[in-house]
Amino acid sequence: MTFATVASFLLMALQAIPLEVWGVLIGGIITMAITAYFAGREHRKQRKSEAIAVALKATLINNSFSHLLHHIKSADNKAKGTTPRVKFDLWTRIPLLSGKLEPIAIEPNELLVFIEAREYELVQELLTLTMRHKSMCDAFNDFADRKIELRSRVTEGTVNGEIVSHSTPLDVTSQIIVMELNTLTKSITDLLPLFRRESAILCKKLTPALRKHLRDKSVPYFREVG
C-alpha cells in the first residue's frame, strides 16, 4: 500500500466523522491544552516558592551564625573591660542564651529546583549548611547544659556577672565539666567564623542561580541582618 493510498484512506475516514464529533474532539484538545498550561504554571509557581523558601532558610542560618558570633565577641570584650588584671577562661565570659537553639533544616525534597537547574554544587553546599547549623545549635545547647550543671555544683565563691571564682579545688566531676566547657568553647570559636563566612558566600550565589533557571527576575535577594 502506497503512501498516497494511506493518505486517501485517512482523508475519507476523517470526512466520515460527523461535525458534532469534531466539535467534541476540538473541545477536548483545547481543554487538554488549557489544563496543561495551568498545570505547568502551577508547577513553576511551586518550584519558585520552594526555591525562595530555601534561600530564606539559608539567609536565616547565616544570620543565626552572625548573631552567635556577635554574642561571643561582645560578651568577651565586655568581660575583658571589667576585669583587666584577671585572666579567666573564655567559657566563663560567654553568657547563656535564653532558651534552646533550634536548628533550621533544609530538607532534600526542597532542593529539587536546584537539582533541575543542575546546580549540584549548591545542593551539596546547602545540605552542608543545614548540618553545620545543627552542629552549632547542639554545641551551644550542650555548652548551656554543662555551665548550668557546673553552677549547681560550685556552692562557694563569688559570682560577678558570668564570671565565677572559687577558692576550694573542684571535685573530679566538676573538673571534667570545665574541660568539656573549654573544648566546646574552642570548637565554637574556631568554627563559627568559618561557618558564617562561607554561609554568606553561599547566600549570595542563590538568587542569581534561581533567576537564571526560573527565568524570573522577581526572585528576591535576601540580605544579611547586622
Side-chain angles (χ1 to χ4, degrees), residues 8-195:
S8 177
F9 175 78
L10 289 175
L11 182 60
M12 292 175 60
L14 291 173
Q15 289 176 339
I17 298 176
L19 191 59
E20 59 271 18
V21 175
W22 272 113
V24 173
L25 290 174
I26 293 173
I29 293 172
I30 293 174
T31 300
M32 291 174 59
I34 293 174
T35 302
Y37 169 77
F38 282 105
R41 189 169 72 173
E42 287 303 312
H43 175 76
R44 290 190 294 273
K45 287 173 61 178
Q46 180 182 351
R47 282 291 180 266
K48 180 179 177 180
S49 297
E50 292 171 350
I52 291 176
V54 170
L56 177 59
K57 285 184 177 182
T59 305
L60 290 175
I61 291 175
N62 178 243
N63 289 336
S64 174
F65 288 155
S66 297
H67 170 71
L68 294 176
L69 191 59
H70 175 74
H71 175 76
I72 293 173
K73 287 184 176 180
S74 61
D76 188 27
N77 291 334
K78 181 179 178 181
K80 286 178 179 178
T82 56
T83 56
R85 290 173 293 184
V86 182
K87 180 176 176 59
F88 292 96
D89 291 335
L90 179 56
W91 68 264
T92 65
R93 305 195 294 269
I94 301 176
L96 301 181
L97 295 166
S98 177
K100 292 282 187 180
L101 293 179
E102 295 293 337
I104 299 172
I106 299 175
E107 303 296 338
N109 63 292
E110 296 179 294
L111 298 173
L112 289 175
V113 65
F114 295 96
I115 296 174
E116 289 177 352
R118 301 181 183 275
E119 295 285 356
Y120 304 123
E121 184 177 342
L122 284 181
V123 171
Q124 182 178 349
E125 290 178 3
L126 285 164
L127 291 174
T128 300
L129 178 68
T130 192
M131 288 188 290
R132 284 178 167 181
H133 191 245
K134 183 180 185 307
S135 68
M136 196 55 62
C137 289
D138 290 345
F140 262 92
N141 291 335
D142 287 345
F143 174 85
D145 291 341
R146 298 295 186 276
K147 197 165 187 179
I148 291 171
E149 183 179 358
L150 182 64
R151 282 180 178 176
S152 69
R153 299 184 65 86
V154 178
T155 57
E156 62 82 30
T158 59
V159 178
N160 177 18
E162 285 294 320
I163 300 171
V164 180
S165 63
H166 53 89
S167 55
T168 58
L170 296 175
D171 59 32
V172 174
T173 301
S174 296
Q175 292 178 38
I176 293 174
I177 294 174
V178 169
M179 291 174 59
E180 291 175 337
L181 284 167
N182 278 317
T183 300
L184 282 168
T185 303
K186 179 171 175 38
S187 295
I188 291 171
T189 54
D190 285 350
L191 294 174
L192 189 53
L194 172 65
F195 288 0

Side-chain angles (χ1 to χ4, degrees), residues 48 52 55 206-208 210-211 216-223:
K48 180 179 177 180
I52 291 176
L206 296 178
T207 297
L210 292 172
R211 286 187 173 189
D216 187 348
K217 292 185 178 180
S218 68
V219 177
Y221 282 92
F222 295 93
R223 305 297 182 186

